[in-house]
Amino acid sequence: MTMDRYVITGKQRLEGTIRVSGAKNSSLPLLAATLLAEGTSTLLEIPALADITHMIEVLEHLGCGVMRQDEALIINAGLLDSWDVDEGLMRQMRASNLILGPLLARRGRVKISRPGGCAIGSRPMDQHIKGLQQLGVKVKEKHGYIEAWADQLQGADVYLDVPSVGATENIMMAAVLAKGTTLIRNAAREPEIVDLQNFLNKMGARVRGAGMDVLRIDGVDALYPAEHTVIADRIEAGTHMIAAVMTEGDVTIENVVPEHLEPVIAKLRQTGAQITLLDDSVRVQQRGRLKGFDIKTMPYPGFPTDMQPQFMAMLSCAEGTSIITETIFENRFQHVDELRRMGAQITVEGRTAVIRGVETLEGAFVEATDLRAGAALFLAALAAEEATVLEKVNYIDRGYEDLEEKYRRLGAKVRRVIPNE
Ligand code: EPZ
């Protein structure tokens, strides 16, 4: 599939206001959760992203009716006439595996093809499977397929070896209709888990503790459709904050939950940026060259791995030497080679990258290898001298809504080129 490219002219100071869209990583589990109730649920402020379109295709394949009305997505999960998702649909996005929990709770069986690894890591599912098995689910893995079934889900005391976001979400969604109480210990604490808890409870579930490391779910007999507005995307917001800093701009970012961005705000203040918090927006002003610092990615509320590539772009042209340690994914340095093409001085040893800041990055031909690597290169291009051609921007479309439009309004010079145009 030929992919679109951006042509970006750097050194344009960004000024003005940009509004953050709904969170991709909350929208995906919320869409899966609508499978739990017969009837029509409404989700508001779901972003128009490639990954969301893909999840809608999965729901439609299962028999749901899905309709978009402006900012509202209306999902009728009444007629679930299928419980298996074919290879093609599964392969395109790992988060399709979030239908495991809901389908087991609603239909008692599900078959998916094991989602492939991706650029950033092998993406295992052992914690999902171990937790579901503790709830009484039988699992058969064969020929790259995962088939799972359960006559009756039973509450259990589940301990996650790693605080996996997806595993926490899948086990939560299976447990809401199980007999008895489920505890999930060492649960992921991301804001997206809290958003899912809030939606499930609106549907009649009894979930408590999201945001802490022990979740308690008291099973109920049935759930009912509900309406919910997805939280804002903290990773999109953080990306825009870096754009403001890297172009020595003055940008106000609207639709932000400041406490979801604490590690990002702390680090940007450390580099010397002026950050002003208002109740649902953040103003970022930067004058002069940034100072380098070290980062270690950790599960929430630690520094988010999804902001690591974007910070590396920023640190590539900061003063001094910075060290980034990526503790979550084993292969999330794909953007290093591309940043080097723009003049960045980076060496990688295993999960550690050492960045020697350069005065300025240079425009070059580069390509996105995955969503956040693409975002990092987009930011680097905004700050680089002259022009950058960024290939494979369809990766960026997976996680950023209307990116070029939003940035043109801030004064960026970015143009999307569609091959064979
Ligand atoms: C979610 O992925 C996000 N995606 C990712 O965002 C994010 O990087 C990740 O959480 C970590 O914060 C969505 O929410 C759709 P994990 P997920 O299970 O749930 C290991 C983006 O750019 N692990 O928390 O797949 C795994 O190998 C994407 O928006 C197991 O060992 O992440 C990894 O090292 C990229 N066994 C760590 O846990 C398992 O069964 C975290 O993975 C599951 C995971």
Side-chain angles (χ1 to χ4, degrees), residues 6-215:
Y6 280 151
V7 178
I8 299 158
T9 305
K11 299 284 182 211
Q12 307 297 315
R13 186 168 185 274
L14 300 186
E15 284 185 316
T17 300
I18 186 168
R19 180 174 174 76
V20 174
S21 302
K24 167 179 84 79
N25 290 350
S26 188
S27 300
L28 292 168
L30 290 176
L31 282 165
T34 62
L35 293 168
L36 285 163
E38 186 158 346
T40 300
S41 291
T42 301
L43 294 175
L44 300 166
E45 299 198 16
I46 298 284
L49 298 171
D51 273 11
I52 301 301
T53 303
H54 179 82
M55 184 59 103
I56 290 171
E57 282 166 10
V58 169
L59 296 185
E60 288 172 333
H61 173 85
L62 294 170
C64 298
V66 184
M67 193 170 59
R68 188 179 270 274
Q69 258 172 11
D70 305 325
E71 277 304 302
L73 211 50
I74 297 156
I75 302 105
N76 179 346
L79 314 163
L80 274 195
D81 52 20
S82 166
W83 42 267
D84 73 350
V85 179
D86 69 40
E87 181 86 21
L89 277 175
M90 276 306 299
R91 274 252 172 233
Q92 290 170 48
M93 180 182 65
R94 165 183 173 77
S96 315
N97 67 8
L98 291 172
I99 62 169
L100 278 176
L103 278 185
L104 283 165
R106 178 88 186 278
R107 296 292 309 273
R109 71 176 304 173
V110 58
K111 181 181 176 187
I112 62 169
S113 84
R114 173 180 276 281
C118 65
I120 64 177
S122 64
R123 316 298 292 274
M125 284 185 59
D126 56 305
Q127 299 300 310
H128 298 243
I129 289 166
K130 186 186 93 168
L132 293 172
Q133 285 174 323
Q134 285 191 258
L135 295 177
V137 175
K138 305 278 183 297
V139 179
K140 188 173 76 175
E141 296 188 61
K142 220 165 165 194
H143 309 301
Y145 279 89
I146 296 174
E147 198 159 351
W149 63 97
D151 301 331
Q152 172 56 58
L153 291 168
Q154 294 291 345
D157 188 337
V158 177
Y159 176 80
L160 294 179
D161 300 335
V162 291
S164 155
V165 171
T168 303
E169 292 165 344
N170 253 327
I171 298 163
M172 264 168 97
M173 292 190 281
V176 292
L177 291 176
K179 281 262 173 287
T181 297
T182 297
L183 294 179
I184 305 175
R185 301 180 193 280
N186 194 25
R189 299 172 51 186
E190 275 72 1
E192 293 76 31
I193 306 287
V194 177
D195 207 25
L196 179 59
Q197 168 182 280
N198 293 341
F199 180 52
L200 291 172
N201 288 345
K202 282 182 185 173
M203 296 174 88
R206 294 179 57 204
V207 185
R208 274 163 290 174
M212 304 310 292
D213 61 353
V214 180
L215 279 175

Side-chain angles (χ1 to χ4, degrees), residues 18-27 44-49 52 68 71 192 229-238 240 253-257 399-403 406 409:
I18 186 168
R19 180 174 174 76
V20 174
S21 302
K24 167 179 84 79
N25 290 350
S26 188
S27 300
L44 300 166
E45 299 198 16
I46 298 284
L49 298 171
I52 301 301
R68 188 179 270 274
E71 277 304 302
E192 293 76 31
T229 300
V230 69
I231 54 171
D233 194 313
R234 60 194 167 93
I235 305 300
E236 181 194 342
H240 300 333
I253 299 145
E254 294 181 335
N255 194 28
V256 166
V257 181
Y400 294 90
E401 189 181 35
D402 294 339
L403 194 70
K406 289 182 177 179
R409 280 203 289 274

